[in-house]
Amino acid sequence: DADVTQTPRNRITKTGKRIMLECSQTKGHDRMYWYRQDPGLGLRLIYYSFDVKDINKGEISDGYSVSRQAQAKFSLSLESAIPNQTALYFCATSGPRLAGLKYFGPGTRLTVL
Amino acid sequence: QKEVEQNSGPLSVPEGAIASLNCTYSDRGSQSFFWYRQYSGKSPELIMFIYSNGDKEDGRFTAQLNKASQYVSLLIRDSQPSDSATYLCAVNMDDYKLSFGAGTTVTVRA
C-alpha cells in the first residue's frame, strides 16, 4: 500500500460548492502538509500540522480550512470553491525534523467550473 | 522577490550530454537544499539534498551549493530520455516548511 494516499484523485465541481480533499498516511509521521501546484508557480504551502492539536496557516490559506482528525488523517476543505482554486493539490508528510519532504501523496486534480 | 527562483526552461539537451540546472534563493540563513524530479501529472520525487558548500554526487546527479552566492545547482550527467521531467529546487528556510521554486522543464532528445 502507498505511504500517503489522497482521495479523490480527480474532482470537477462548480463555483460555490463545498469540497473536501482527504489525505491518509501510514508512515506514523506527526507532520503533515497541504500544497497546491499551479503551472509556472511551483508548490505553495496552504496549511501544515505538527500534530492533532497543532495546525498552522501556510502562505496561501485564504479560502481553505483543514482538519486533523487523527495522526494519520489530514483533510483540506474549500468552503466555497472558486475557479482560481483549480489546481493540483498534494499532501505530504515528514518525520520530526523537516529534512526534505520525501513522502508525497499522488495528488488530487481539482477543477472548479 | 521570490524566495526560490529557477529558470523555467525548457532546457533541451541531447541524449548523453550534461544538463545543468540552476536555482537561487533569497534567505541567506537557509540551511538545507533539495532537488525534486516531477513527471507530468505525478508527485515530486526527492532525488538530491545538500547541506554544505561544495559538491555532492549520487550516481549521475551532482548537486552544487554556494552559500556565499546563494545558489544551488544540479548537474545530470549522461542524460537519458527518462530524465525528461520538471526539476524543482526547494529550500529549507526554517524547520517547518520548504519553499519551492517554479521548476525547470528538461527535455532529453534522442
Side-chain angles (χ1 to χ4, degrees):
Chain A
D1 289 342
D3 296 321
V4 184
T5 57
Q6 292 183 234
T7 56
R9 295 293 311 280
N10 289 283
R11 180 72 181 267
I12 299 174
T13 191
K14 295 182 178 180
T15 297
K17 294 292 188 181
R18 183 179 188 275
I19 184 168
M20 178 181 288
L21 309 183
E22 297 185 331
C23 175
S24 295
Q25 52 110 350
T26 59
K27 297 299 296 179
H29 287 160
D30 286 326
R31 298 186 177 197
M32 297 187 73
Y33 303 79
W34 275 105
Y35 282 88
R36 67 175 277 178
Q37 186 174 34
D38 301 273
L41 292 178
L43 281 87
R44 292 182 291 166
L45 183 63
I46 307 173
Y47 270 94
Y48 60 101
S49 169
F50 284 178
D51 65 35
V52 174
K53 297 181 179 179
D54 184 1
I55 294 177
N56 305 278
K57 294 182 177 181
E59 58 186 304
I60 55 163
S61 59
D62 287 349
Y64 301 94
S65 63
V66 291
S67 173
R68 184 82 182 266
Q69 300 96 324
Q71 185 201 38
K73 296 183 182 296
F74 193 32
S75 300
L76 177 71
S77 293
L78 288 68
E79 298 300 327
S80 180
I82 56 177
N84 76 0
Q85 291 176 313
T86 293
L88 186 56
Y89 289 83
F90 289 105
C91 175
T93 74
S94 79
R97 288 200 65 229
L98 182 54
L101 278 173
K102 185 177 179 181
Y103 300 100
F104 279 87
T108 294
R109 186 168 296 280
L110 176 65
T111 302
V112 183
L113 301 176
Chain B
Q1 181 187 7
K2 293 183 179 179
E3 294 179 329
V4 181
E5 297 208 48
Q6 300 179 248
N7 290 328
S8 62
L11 175 65
S12 180
V13 297
E15 186 174 356
I18 296 174
S20 178
L21 294 78
N22 295 314
C23 170
T24 59
Y25 59 95
S26 61
D27 186 345
R28 188 171 290 276
S30 300
Q31 296 295 317
S32 310
F33 308 86
F34 307 89
W35 283 99
Y36 291 81
R37 178 176 61 200
Q38 186 179 27
Y39 295 112
S40 181
K42 303 296 185 182
S43 55
E45 175 192 5
L46 180 62
I47 57 172
M48 288 288 289
F49 61 88
I50 186 166
Y51 302 143
S52 303
N53 275 333
D55 296 359
K56 179 181 179 182
E57 187 174 314
D58 184 359
R60 295 185 296 109
F61 298 104
T62 299
Q64 300 174 317
L65 174 61
N66 185 323
K67 288 188 175 181
S69 300
Q70 295 177 242
Y71 82 79
V72 57
S73 61
L74 179 70
L75 301 178
I76 306 173
R77 293 183 302 281
D78 187 23
S79 295
Q80 302 297 308
S82 60
D83 295 326
S84 296
T86 296
Y87 290 81
L88 304 173
C89 173
V91 177
N92 235 146
M93 298 186 179
D94 49 49
D95 187 44
Y96 61 86
K97 74 178 183 76
L98 288 180
S99 293
F100 286 83
T104 298
T105 300
V106 173
T107 300
V108 180
R109 55 186 191 275

